[in-house]
Amino acid sequence: MEVYIEVNNLSFYRGERAIYEDVTLQIPKGKITAVMGPSGVGKTTLLRLIGGQVLPDAGTVIVDGVNIGEASRRQLFEARRKMGMLFQSGALFSDMSVFENVALPLREFTPFDATMIRDIVLMKLQSVGLRGAADLMPSELSGGMARRAALARAIALDPDLVMYDEPFAGQDPISKGVLVDLIKQLNSAANITSVLVSHDVEESLSIADHVCLLSGGKVILAGTPEEVRASTDERVVQFLQGQSDGPVPFHYPAMSYQEQLLERE
Amino acid sequence: MTLINYIVTSLLGFIKGLGNSGIFLFQSLFRLPVRPKEAMRLYVRQVYSVGVMSLIIIVVSGAFIGMVLALQGFSILTSYGSETAVGQLLALTLLRELAPVVTGLLFAGRAGSALTAEIGLMKTTEQLSSYEMMGIDPLRRVIAPRLLAGITCMPILSIIFAAVGIWAGMLVSVEWLGVYSGSFWGSMQQAVQFDRDVINGLIKALVFAVAVVWIAVYQGYECQPTSEGIGRATTRTVVLSSLAILALDFLLTAAMFGDF
Amino acid sequence: MKDKRSSLLVGAFMLFGIAAFVYLAMQVSGLAFDDKSDGYTITARFDDIGGLTDRAKVTIAGVTVGQVDSIEYDQEYYMAKVDMTIYADVDNIPTDSSIAILTSGLIGEKYLGISIGAEEEVLQEGDEIFDTQSALVLENLIGQFLFSQGEE
C-alpha cells in the first residue's frame, strides 16, 4: 500500500480543548478513504490540517512528501494546487457564474487561452452533469447542484488529491446517489486519492476502500469497510447502529438526578 | 487592583488588535493581484459597488445639507446685515468640515457595513477558505481591490458632496432668498483658499476613507463565521468607524487650522 | 455585458468627481490659472494691518486689480510690510497714490484700496507706496471718541 498522506503523532488544540491528541494515520494513494466519527470530533479540522489552513500544535502532516506544517508559503501554495477540496457548503464564489467559478483556477494557474479554458470547463461541467447550468449564478442552484458545481471546480486542475467535507450532509437521496457515483467515477477514472469526511455511515462504507473512525480525539479503528462492520468495539457499534446511549452517553454530564430533584433552596 | 488589571489587559488587547489589523492592511495593500488586467477588472467592479452605489445618498444628503446651511446662515447673518457672507459660510463649513465628515459617516453606514457583511458572508460560506485551498491568496484577490476602491472612492464622494451642497445652497440663497449672486460668489471666492480649504478637505476625506475601509474590511475578515457574528461585526464597523472619523477630524482640524 | 455597464457607470462616476473638483477649484475658490503669473510686485508699510490676510484683494475704485502675496513684520521700521501683485495690464498707477486697509461690510474681509494720485510717473516692479492708511481698529476709534468727548 502506497501512502499518500501520513499523519504522525498529531496534536491539535482549540483553546484548552484537545481536538486531536497524538493521532497517527495513513491515507493510501489512489484509494477512497473515509474518515468518520460523530459530530464535533474534528473531521473538518483534519482536512484543514492537510490543506495547511491550520497548523498542528505537535506532530507532522506529510502530503506527498511535503511536510505541510513546515512548508514555506510558496511551497504550501504549490502543494495546494495539487489538491482539490469540496467544502460542505460548496463555497462557490457568489459573484461569479458557475462557468466563471470553474474557469477561475484555470485562468490563474494555466497558460491556456480562452478557447482551451472554455473547452476544459465544459468538459468538467459535463462530467458532473451541469453543462446546461454553466451560465447560472450560484444563488440559482439547489444545494445538490451547488455541490456538484463545486466538485467540477475542485477537479478543474486535475488534482492528485480531492478532499470531500461532508458531501452527503443535508442532501436528498437522489443527490446522495449522484454524489456517491461521481466520487466513485472520479476516483477510478483519474486515479485520484480521495479523502472523504462524513458521518453518513451507509454511503461512506459503500464507496470507501479504507476507513478511519475517529472518536474523542483518537483513531479508534482503521481498516477496510468489512473490518469496520465486523468490529465488536462498542464505540464502533454504537456509531454504526446509531444507538442513543453507550460509550457516548445520552446524558450531558450532570449531578445525580435524584439529588437535584430533592435539593431544596 | 482588579481595575488596573482590567485596564492593562484591555489596553494590551487594543494594541494587539491594532497590530494585527496593521499587518493585515500592509499585507493586503502590498500583495496586489498578479495579472494587471484581472486586477483592473476586480477594482472597477468594487468601485461600482462601493462608489457608484453610494452616489445617490451622497448627492441627496449634500443637497439638503447645503440648503439647510443656506437657510440657517441667512437667518442669522441677515440680522447683521451681512447676508452676502452666506456664500462664505456655506463654502467654508462644507469644504472644511461637513463634506468629509458627513460623507465619511454616510460612507461607513452605506459602503462600510456592506463591505463587512459581504466579506463576513464570504468567510461564513467558506469562500475565503476556498480561495486559500485553491492556492489563491484571498487578501490580494478579495481584500485588496475593496481596500483600494474604498480609499479612492471616498474622496471623490466628498468632493461631489461639497460641490452639490454649495450648488444647492446657492439655489436657496440666490434664487429663493434673493442674495445678490455677485456678492454671494465674491464673498465665497474671497474667503476660500484652494490649498487651505479644498485640499485640506480632500486630505481629511482620504484619511477617513483609509480608516473606514480598513475597519470595515478587517471586521469582515475577522468576524465569527456565523450569521450572528456577521451582524455584530457590521454593527461594530459602523460604530468604530464613526468614532474614528470624529476623533480623527478633531486631530486633523487641530493640525490644519489650529495655528492661530 | 453586466461588466461593461458597470465600467461605464464607474467612468461616469469618476468624471462626475473630476467635474466637481474643477467646480470647487474655479467657481468656489476662484482659482484662475492665468492672471497670477504676470504682474508686478509693489510694497507698502502700515502701522497696523488689523486682520489683513494673504490673498486679500487689492482694488482701485472697488475693482480688483491684484492680491496680497505676503505680510511680514519689518523690524527696522516697526511696521507691517505688505507685498502685493498688481495685474500687468493695470500699469498706470501714479507713484504718489495712497493705499488704505478697508473692510467689506461690518464683519467682512479686509482688503486694500488704492486711491489714485496726480504724478506723471507710474509705479514699477519693486516700488513702494509711501502714503498708507492703516486699518480702523475699533478700540482705537472708541478711545479717540471718548478722548474728544472729554475735551469739550
Side-chain angles (χ1 to χ4, degrees), chain B:
Chain B
M1 196 57 208
T2 44
L3 185 69
I4 295 172
N5 265 345
Y6 175 75
I7 292 173
V8 166
T9 38
S10 49
L11 201 67
L12 283 179
F14 176 74
I15 293 170
K16 200 176 143 219
L18 210 62
N20 278 342
S21 55
I23 294 168
F24 169 82
L25 180 72
F26 185 82
Q27 287 190 333
S28 312
L29 282 182
F30 295 97
R31 276 201 216 143
L32 296 176
V34 268
R35 288 179 300 143
K37 205 179 155 198
E38 179 74 0
M40 194 62 206
R41 203 179 61 80
L42 290 170
Y43 171 75
V44 167
R45 184 182 287 182
Q46 287 313 316
V47 171
Y48 178 77
S49 67
V50 169
V52 177
M53 300 300 270
S54 308
L55 189 58
I56 290 181
I57 188 176
I58 293 297
V59 168
V60 172
S61 329
F64 278 117
I65 284 184
M67 296 196 293
V68 168
L69 267 182
L71 274 180
Q72 290 281 17
F74 183 83
S75 73
I76 293 168
L77 289 170
T78 198
S79 50
Y80 297 99
S82 334
E83 62 269 15
T84 51
V86 73
Q88 171 182 351
L89 171 108
L90 198 62
L92 288 184
T93 39
L94 274 170
L95 289 174
R96 288 184 184 181
E97 287 298 333
L98 287 177
V101 171
V102 177
T103 306
L105 295 176
L106 291 172
F107 189 75
R110 171 69 184 75
S113 60
L115 277 179
T116 305
E118 191 192 9
I119 294 170
L121 195 67
M122 290 177 93
K123 185 178 186 185
T124 310
T125 55
E126 297 175 309
Q127 293 182 43
L128 295 182
S129 287
S130 197
Y131 276 120
E132 251 176 48
M133 281 305 297
M134 219 179 254
I136 298 173
D137 188 349
L139 285 183
R140 68 172 171 80
R141 170 96 200 177
V142 176
I143 305 296
R146 284 171 172 75
L147 273 173
L148 288 180
I151 290 171
T152 40
C153 281
M154 221 210 83
I156 296 178
L157 289 171
S158 170
I159 290 172
I160 291 175
F161 187 99
V164 170
I166 290 170
W167 178 77
M170 184 273 291
L171 280 190
V172 167
S173 39
V174 174
E175 304 293 329
W176 182 23
L177 299 172
V179 174
Y180 172 56
S181 95
S183 343
F184 177 87
W185 291 116
S187 82
M188 190 185 293
Q189 290 173 358
Q190 173 93 65
V192 174
Q193 285 179 18
F194 182 74
D195 48 351
R196 188 192 62 191
D197 299 317
V198 180
I199 297 297
N200 274 347
L202 253 183
I203 293 173
K204 275 188 178 181
L206 191 69
V207 173
F208 298 164
V210 173
V212 171
V213 186
W214 181 11
I215 290 172
V217 164
Y218 184 71
Q219 289 294 338
Y221 195 76
E222 291 292 319
C223 81
Q224 288 288 323
T226 58
S227 41
E228 202 193 3
I230 297 176
R232 249 185 317 202
T234 312
T235 313
R236 205 155 351 136
T237 293
V238 176
V239 172
L240 282 181
S241 30
S242 304
L243 289 179
I245 287 171
L246 297 174
L248 283 171
D249 185 46
F250 174 72
L251 292 179
L252 287 173
T253 306
M256 288 167 173
F257 306 104
D259 51 337
F260 296 110

Side-chain angles (χ1 to χ4, degrees), chain C residues 54-119:
Chain C
D54 285 2
R55 286 178 45 89
K57 62 184 177 181
V58 180
T59 62
I60 296 175
V63 180
T64 305
V65 297
Q67 69 174 26
V68 172
D69 293 330
S70 69
I71 300 170
E72 56 196 29
Y73 176 59
D74 188 332
Q75 270 192 309
E76 201 181 331
Y77 293 92
Y78 302 102
M79 289 171 105
K81 178 166 168 284
V82 176
D83 289 327
M84 67 204 88
T85 302
I86 306 294
Y87 301 155
D89 50 351
V90 185
D91 55 2
N92 57 348
I93 305 173
T95 46
D96 64 341
S97 299
S98 68
I99 188 162
I101 296 176
L102 305 169
T103 309
S104 57
L106 188 58
I107 56 169
E109 292 276 317
K110 300 277 190 222
Y111 66 98
L112 292 174
I114 298 177
S115 306
I116 298 302
E119 276 284 341

Side-chain angles (χ1 to χ4, degrees), chain A residues 42-79:
Chain A
K43 302 187 296 292
T44 305
T45 310
L46 180 66
L47 297 187
R48 290 185 186 275
L49 283 161
I50 293 172
Q53 289 193 305
V54 292
L55 298 177
D57 291 313
T60 53
V61 177
I62 295 168
V63 180
D64 199 17
V66 179
N67 184 340
I68 295 294
E70 280 163 16
S72 70
R73 203 179 161 74
R74 178 183 294 273
Q75 284 172 320
L76 187 61
F77 274 56
E78 206 78 14

